[in-house]
Amino acid sequence: MEFGQPERYGRSQEAFARACEVIPSGVNSTARARFSGWEPYPLFVREGRGSRLTDVDGNTYIDYLLGLGPMVFGHRPEAITRAVIDHIERVGTMFALPTEEEITLAGKIIAAVPSVEQVHLSNTGTEAVLYAVRLARAFTGRRLIVRFEGMYHGFSDGVYWSKHPSLAEAGPEDRPRAVPQGPGLPQGAGDDLLILQWNDEAALRAAFERDGERIAAVLTEPVMCNTGCILPEPGYLEAMRELTRAAGALLIFDEVITGFRVALGGAQSVLGIRPDLSVFAKGLGGGFPVAALGGRRDVLELVADGTVSMAGTYSGNGIAVAAATAALDLMAAPGAFDRLGTVSRRLQDGLQGLLDEAGLPARVVGIGPLFQVWFTREPIRNYRDAARHADMAAFRVWWEEMLGRGVLFHPGPLENLFVSFAHTEEDVDLTLSAAAEAIQALRVRT
Ligand code: PMP
C-alpha cells in the first residue's frame, strides 16, 4: 500500500500543487515538507477532534502525530478552547503591559517543576532555547556550548547545527565537527559549539577535562527525541549534572518535547535530575503557541537587573497564557498522567509483542506517551548508531501500511509518536489490530 494513490488522497495532492505555487515547498515548516518524509505530498487536514484527524479527502485517522507533540489533550479540547475564547471576550489579547494571569501561570509552572524558581514566557521553543543559551553565556562569562549531534533545539543561528549531518561531513565520532543546517548560518556560531555524541560519558568527561573552563553550558534533551526516541543510559545524566556543576557550567534541559508531556514535572522529574535552566513549549500550551524558560533564581537575576534583555511583543500574550493555564489545570487533575501512562504502556507493549511474534528485528523505545519504533537489531545509543543501523526503508513500509489502515504518525523514522489524554483503550485496540496486519505486510514487502 504505497502512499500517494490519487484515488485516496487526490484532494491533498491537488491542494499541495496549489500550495507550491504560493508557499515555498508548499508548507510552512520543514517538518511537513516532502524532503522530511511527506513524499510525494503531505496530507492536508480538514479537521481534528480528540484522538482523530480527518484529511481533506475525508480519510479519518487515529492521530499519533498530534501536531508533533503539543496536542496533549487531543484536538479541540473543550476546556482549553473555552478558556481561550473566554479570555479573548472578557479581557483581550495584547496590551504591552503585564496581566495578573501571567503571575498565576508562572506560579503553576513553578509548582509543577521543582527546578524552576522563576519563569519567563515566550511563544516558541526556538526563542526560549535562544534565551537560555544567551543567559548561560552571560552568567558564566564563557562562550562554549556543548551540544549533541542528532538533537534539535530550534532554528536560531546559534544552535541550528549538527541536527542530522551526513556522516561524510560530520567528522570523527569522538570529535564531531559542527555542521551548519545549511548555508546562511554565521560561521562563527559553529565555533562556539562543542559537538559530542550523546550517551557517551567518557567523551563528556574528556571534553570537560580539555575545555571545562570555557564551557558555559551543556544543552541537552533529557530524552533524545529528535533522533527517534533514545533513552539516557543509567548514570549518564547524573554524570552530566556532576561535571557541569564541578566546572561552573550550567546544565540546560531542553524539555520542549518532554515537558508537560511525559509527566507534569517533565522528564527531569521522572529521571530525577535537577537542571539549572529548563525550556518548555509544545505540551505547555495544549495546542496554542507558548514557551517558557525557567530555572535558578540567581541566573534569572540577570534578566531582573536588565543585564540580559528578553524582549518579545507577543511574549506572555493573553491567548498563550489562558491556554497554558487551562492546560496545566487539566494536567494537574489527580491521576491524569497515570491514566495516560497506562494507555501508552499498553500500546507500546502491544506493539512490541506483535513485532516479537512476527520475529521482526524491531524495538519500541519510549517514555510514557512518547515513543518510536526502531527497525534494527543493533543498540541505538546516539545519532551515529541511528544513522548507521536504523532500517529507514523498513520504517517507510511500516508507516505506509499503518497510514493505509487509518493510523497516522510522522513518516520520519527519527521523529516520535505521541499519545494524548483523548486516546482511549479502544483506540489502542484498533491501532494494534492495524499493526498486526501492517507487520504481516511488512514481512512480505521487506
Ligand atoms: N527544542 C526541541 C527539543 C524541539 O523538539 C523543538 C521543536 N521540535 C524545538 C526546540 C523548537 O521549538 P519550536 O518549534 O516551538 O520553535
Side-chain angles (χ1 to χ4, degrees):
M1 243 190 276
E2 270 184 44
F3 171 61
Q5 312 88 309
E7 56 284 11
R8 185 160 182 168
Y9 305 107
R11 192 149 172 187
S12 278
Q13 183 180 34
E14 185 270 325
F16 185 61
R18 276 191 290 129
C20 285
E21 290 299 315
V22 289
I23 300 170
S25 82
V27 294
N28 279 306
S29 171
T30 297
R32 301 166 214 163
R34 287 179 72 165
F35 43 81
S36 294
W38 284 108
E39 186 64 46
Y41 46 80
L43 294 176
F44 276 65
V45 176
R46 178 185 294 164
E47 60 147 351
R49 178 172 292 284
S51 62
R52 304 302 166 105
L53 179 154
T54 302
D55 69 18
V56 288
D57 287 284
N59 305 303
T60 294
Y61 308 89
I62 303 176
D63 184 13
Y64 297 101
L65 175 59
L66 290 179
L68 278 174
M71 311 314 295
V72 178
F73 308 99
H75 300 286
R76 288 190 274 169
E78 185 65 23
I80 299 183
T81 307
R82 277 283 120 228
V84 168
I85 292 173
D86 181 56
H87 188 88
I88 294 170
E89 289 180 347
R90 206 173 35 81
V91 181
T93 59
M94 303 271 312
F95 305 102
L97 282 172
T99 61
E100 289 179 323
E101 283 83 353
E102 291 163 67
I103 313 171
T104 306
L105 175 58
K108 287 181 192 284
I109 296 172
I110 290 166
V113 189
S115 72
V116 171
E117 295 171 353
Q118 284 197 314
V119 61
H120 175 272
L121 296 178
S122 50
N123 295 297
T124 65
T126 295
E127 288 172 85
V129 170
L130 182 156
Y131 278 144
V133 167
R134 187 179 294 165
L135 200 52
R137 288 192 170 122
F139 184 75
T140 58
R142 304 172 182 179
R143 301 294 319 154
L144 278 183
I145 303 291
V146 173
R147 186 220 185 283
F148 298 93
E149 207 174 76
M151 292 204 181
Y152 175 61
H153 300 291
F155 52 83
S156 67
D157 284 354
V159 293
Y160 206 12
W161 297 70
S162 298
K163 184 189 173 208
H164 297 142
S166 79
L167 295 190
E169 283 184 298
E173 187 155 352
D174 54 348
R175 288 299 285 274
R177 287 184 46 224
V179 180
Q181 185 63 24
L185 294 188
Q187 189 54 43
D191 297 342
D192 286 337
L193 295 175
L194 210 164
I195 309 290
L196 297 178
Q197 292 310 312
W198 205 55
N199 262 335
D200 186 342
E201 187 180 325
L204 191 64
R205 273 189 199 284
F208 270 96
E209 272 161 30
R210 226 173 29 238
D211 291 310
E213 291 185 353
R214 300 198 302 135
I215 295 174
V218 173
L219 171 63
T220 189
E221 295 181 88
V223 173
M224 192 163 182
C225 304
N226 277 290
T227 292
C229 188
I230 304 177
L231 302 179
E233 295 200 327
Y236 180 60
L237 294 178
E238 286 79 358
M240 200 181 266
R241 178 62 281 185
E242 170 212 312
L243 287 165
T244 44
R245 188 174 284 135
L250 299 187
L251 177 58
I252 306 172
F253 269 8
D254 180 347
E255 294 230 39
V256 166
I257 293 185
T258 51
F260 301 102
R261 163 49 82 186
V262 302
L264 186 62
Q268 57 189 271
S269 73
V270 178
L271 301 168
I273 306 287
R274 191 181 172 97
D276 301 301
L277 296 176
S278 303
V279 174
F280 304 97
K282 302 199 178 204
L284 175 60
F288 288 85
V290 57
L293 158 63
R296 272 168 49 184
R297 185 180 288 269
D298 59 335
V299 179
L300 291 160
E301 180 58 30
L302 291 182
V303 184
D305 69 13
T307 306
V308 172
S309 150
M310 290 198 179
T313 302
Y314 299 100
S315 293
N317 73 77
I319 294 171
V321 171
T325 305
L328 291 199
D329 287 345
L330 289 178
M331 283 183 207
F337 273 100
D338 294 341
R339 205 194 133 267
L340 180 62
T342 306
V343 172
S344 305
R345 172 75 15 232
R346 241 196 89 219
L347 177 60
Q348 285 191 43
D349 289 350
L351 287 174
Q352 186 67 64
L354 292 169
L355 291 161
D356 290 346
E357 253 171 55
L360 284 179
R363 270 193 320 284
V364 182
V365 176
I367 173 168
L370 160 64
F371 67 97
Q372 184 52 292
V373 182
W374 289 107
F375 288 92
T376 176
R377 282 184 207 288
E378 306 295 326
I380 304 282
R381 300 170 58 238
N382 54 41
Y383 173 67
R384 298 280 167 124
D385 288 345
R388 286 198 197 106
H389 302 309
D391 185 342
M392 311 290 184
F395 186 89
R396 175 72 191 192
V397 175
W398 159 247
W399 177 79
E400 286 183 345
E401 294 294 341
M402 289 298 272
L403 189 80
R405 292 177 174 80
V407 179
L408 172 67
F409 47 91
H410 197 285
L414 303 185
E415 300 286 345
N416 302 114
L417 281 78
F418 297 95
V419 186
S420 79
F421 285 74
H423 284 74
T424 60
E425 298 282 348
E426 194 202 349
D427 288 330
V428 173
D429 291 338
L430 290 170
T431 305
L432 293 176
S433 304
E437 289 178 19
I439 286 167
Q440 291 315 314
L442 187 64
R443 288 177 69 184
V444 174
R445 283 180 66 185
T446 54

